[in-house]
Amino acid sequence: MLKDFIQWLLNTRTTPAEAAHVSRSTFSSPTTFSGTNSVGDSWTNNLVTGTACSDGYLNISASTVESETSTGTMLQVTTNNFQVSQVASVSNQGLNFFLPIAKGCSFAVNGIRATSITVRFFETIGGGV
């Protein structure tokens, strides 16, 4: 009886290859948040707003624009926990940054002199225990 039980355990164990396959997450396309995709010479709050549906990363990208009065672009992401900013002083330059964000955390993208503003959310791969 003990021999049969040990054999059953051996037959039903998960191999390392099976365990790796099962733990692999399913790819999900990034979520794109909609909002205002360009801003001129006036600082503007809440260009894009949203809430993270799970733990992951926000990706904010834009292109800089030059105005008649000034050059320089700034994008800022604010949440109730932190604020992150990126500045570019050259026109026709791309801005692109990632930042971690927790599930349920709301955010707002603010800025000045930017175009093609895109905000995407990438879910964290895996999950852990």
Side-chain angles (χ1 to χ4, degrees), residues 18-95:
E18 291 170 332
H21 179 74
V22 170
S23 66
R24 181 178 57 185
S25 65
T26 305
F27 172 77
S28 61
S29 297
T31 303
T32 301
F33 290 93
S34 59
T36 305
N37 66 356
S38 65
V39 61
D41 281 331
S42 297
W43 180 262
T44 305
N45 290 323
N46 301 323
L47 294 167
V48 180
T49 61
T51 302
C53 56
S54 64
D55 292 342
Y57 294 88
L58 282 179
N59 170 233
I60 297 88
S61 61
S63 294
T64 63
V65 293
E66 184 176 345
S67 72
E68 292 180 14
T69 59
S70 182
T71 60
T73 293
M74 180 175 178
L75 286 180
Q76 175 188 77
V77 179
T78 59
T79 72
N80 52 349
N81 297 323
F82 61 86
Q83 174 180 307
V84 176
S85 302
Q86 188 171 32
V87 178
S89 59
V90 179
S91 62
N92 298 318
Q93 180 180 357
L95 295 172

